Amino acid sequence: MSMLAYPAVFLLAGFGLLHLGLVTSGLAVIFGALPLILTVVGVGLAWRFNRSGAVFAFLALGLTYLVGAWVPLGMAVDAPEAQAVLAILALVLPLNFVLAAAIGDRGVLTFRGILQLLLLTGELTTVFILVRVSLWLGGPEGAASCNRAVAGLLSSNFLPVEATTWIGLPLSGIVAVQFALLFFLYRTLRDRSPLDIGFGGALLAAAIGLGSRTPQAVDVYFTAAGLTLLSSIFMDSYRMAFLDELTGLPTRRVLKADFKKLGGGYAVAMVDVDHFKKFNDTYGHDVGDQVLRMVASRLSKVTGGGKAYRYGGEEFTVLFPKLGKKAARPHLEALRESIEQSGFNLRGQDRPKQKPENPKRPEKPKIVSVTVSIGAAEHGAANATPDEAIKAADKALYKAKKNGRNRVELG
């Protein structure tokens, strides 16, 4: 499933359950407990996987749900307590999500983590004090007056737009939610991180739940928010375990798993960047990493039904599940040629970071040719196991290196 799809699945599922009337009394009890259960499970998993940002996001989600339930949000829409709590929660929740993502994974029991935890609990304790202590001090009439003032301040139309009807949130909450969603959209486009997608999807689901202001909808949409955030942790963990961080290609662990799904009649190719060590020593590791990313991008587009993997260092593997080595050769030749023809532009190492007042005539960028050597073998009587097929492909790769590099040899 695409990273962008799973938040929509949980949202649509919640919408369908509510608007088709499928939430029975028994399901309502389950949904009433799920947000807190998901909070506990999510905090535990995020802590275990060293994702402190997700820990604070789950805490913000769970505490927001708890405060809303204690008030509760299911009271009359016009009740002063409901208006005040809704206005504050709609403002606090997105800001805490942004803070959790911006600080990142700096730990929970660190100085920054403890400050963030104190800030989160302090914000939501303020909500509780607003709607409860005011009752003790001023009685029902004084509390109602205080809560109306807070709700009116946060709901005031201070922008030249009529947006207060959007999912039932006050304008301050709408602005905060939209700002946070734009923040997570930017981070998603920049980093393609499942956690950023999960943060944005969970926030949207929770905002819809707050805006609905009915106990059933709050339970269902906060459940959807918790499931979205929990799924993002699993997807991020999968990415770390099975995708190479530098190139984005599947790792050797995925290659071994894919071998187990195959029977016979497959070809495997080992691909190695020519003279990479010399290139790395001459131009630096940063440029070397850029070369590997460029090669990986070409490998990811290999034809013939092939699938590319990062094997280690400057070495890659291409697996053709339905082809023999002779049938795979034209696709490997096309791959080799595409890498050779791509070239690689080098920026001058002495290029200044800021534009000088009297700039010299710019030099033409130096174009370096990057080539690869490829060795291919196939599963068969001589190579009965995946390890034997890889060893045969490795031997063919060394043959390609010995015969002049930038060529394909069959083993």
Side-chain angles (χ1 to χ4, degrees):
M1 182 184 296
S2 169
M3 288 193 299
L4 293 173
Y6 69 91
V9 169
F10 293 127
L11 267 176
L12 291 174
F15 180 85
L17 285 172
L18 289 168
H19 291 272
L20 294 177
L22 300 178
V23 182
T24 62
S25 57
L27 281 178
V29 174
I30 295 175
F31 276 113
L34 275 177
L36 296 181
I37 293 174
L38 290 171
T39 296
V40 174
V41 172
V43 167
L45 283 174
W47 200 322
R48 178 66 181 83
F49 294 152
N50 295 318
R51 288 290 179 262
S52 59
V55 169
F56 290 114
F58 266 113
L59 287 175
L61 202 62
L63 290 173
T64 299
Y65 176 78
L66 272 178
V67 171
W70 286 341
V71 170
L73 288 177
M75 66 175 56
V77 174
D78 295 332
E81 292 89 345
Q83 291 179 348
V85 169
L86 175 64
I88 296 177
L89 292 182
L91 183 63
V92 165
L93 181 62
L95 295 182
N96 274 287
F97 264 54
V98 169
L99 184 63
I103 292 178
D105 302 319
R106 303 293 182 88
V108 177
L109 300 180
T110 60
F111 177 74
R112 291 186 181 184
I114 293 173
L115 280 181
Q116 191 172 351
L117 183 61
L118 291 174
L119 176 64
L120 171 62
T121 54
E123 290 168 344
L124 296 175
T125 301
T126 302
V127 182
F128 184 81
I129 292 175
L130 172 71
V131 298
R132 290 308 181 203
V133 174
S134 57
L135 282 172
W136 302 336
L137 297 179
E141 292 184 1
S145 176
C146 174
N147 292 326
R148 285 195 188 97
V150 172
L153 176 63
L154 294 178
S155 303
S156 59
N157 198 7
F158 55 86
L159 294 178
V161 291
E162 287 293 336
T164 53
T165 58
W166 186 74
I167 63 171
L169 292 179
L171 185 58
S172 58
I174 294 170
V175 172
V177 170
Q178 289 179 335
F179 165 77
L181 291 178
L182 288 174
F183 172 79
F184 290 121
L185 177 62
Y186 164 75
R187 286 171 62 97
T188 298
L189 295 175
R190 185 191 65 182
D191 302 329
R192 300 290 297 174
S193 169
L195 281 177
D196 289 324
I197 298 173
F199 274 44
L203 175 61
L204 180 59
I208 295 174
L210 288 175
S212 63
R213 284 177 280 184
T214 63
Q216 198 174 81
V218 171
D219 293 344
V220 169
Y221 282 117
F222 268 78
T223 297
L227 289 172
T228 300
L229 200 52
L230 193 62
S231 298
S232 70
I233 293 177
F234 284 116
M235 293 190 72
D236 184 66
S237 299
Y238 172 86
R239 185 180 71 160
M240 292 184 62
F242 297 105
L243 297 181
D244 178 60
E245 184 178 4
L246 177 65
T247 64
L249 292 178
T251 61
R252 192 188 304 187
R253 181 180 299 179
V254 182
L255 174 63
K256 291 182 178 180
D258 286 347
F259 269 129
K260 295 178 181 179
K261 303 174 186 177
L262 300 176
Y266 60 82
V268 60
M270 300 300 293
V271 182
D272 188 87
V273 181
D274 293 330
H275 301 294
F276 182 74
K277 185 178 184 302
K278 182 178 179 181
F279 190 95
N280 217 22
D281 292 341
T282 302
Y283 301 109
H285 293 284
D286 290 341
V287 176
D289 288 346
Q290 294 176 37
V291 170
L292 292 178
R293 281 193 288 265
M294 183 275 288
V295 172
S297 70
R298 300 298 183 274
L299 285 165
S300 65
K301 299 174 184 176
V302 63
T303 56
K307 182 177 180 180
Y309 308 81
R310 175 86 182 275
Y311 196 77
E314 68 272 21
E315 205 167 27
F316 301 86
T317 305
V318 181
L319 179 63
F320 295 91
K322 299 180 180 180
L323 299 181
K325 60 183 179 181
K326 291 183 179 179
R329 181 164 193 161
H331 303 288
L332 293 172
E333 288 285 4
L335 174 64
R336 180 193 62 77
E337 291 176 3
S338 71
I339 294 173
E340 181 184 16
Q341 295 170 3
S342 296
F344 191 80
N345 293 333
L346 288 176
R347 291 180 55 176
Q349 296 183 354
D350 58 346
R351 180 175 176 175
K353 295 182 179 180
Q354 296 182 353
K355 185 177 180 180
E357 296 181 0
N358 298 314
K360 298 180 180 179
R361 185 175 181 179
E363 298 180 359
K364 292 182 179 181
K366 184 178 181 181
I367 300 178
V368 177
S369 177
V370 178
T371 63
V372 296
S373 297
I374 303 175
E378 64 185 9
H379 174 270
N383 305 311
T385 66
D387 286 341
E388 290 175 349
I390 288 179
K391 287 180 181 178
D394 250 335
K395 289 181 179 179
L397 171 62
Y398 286 121
K399 183 179 178 182
K401 294 279 189 181
K402 184 178 180 180
N403 291 339
R405 294 182 170 83
N406 190 24
R407 59 190 296 121
V408 177
E409 295 286 353
L410 302 182

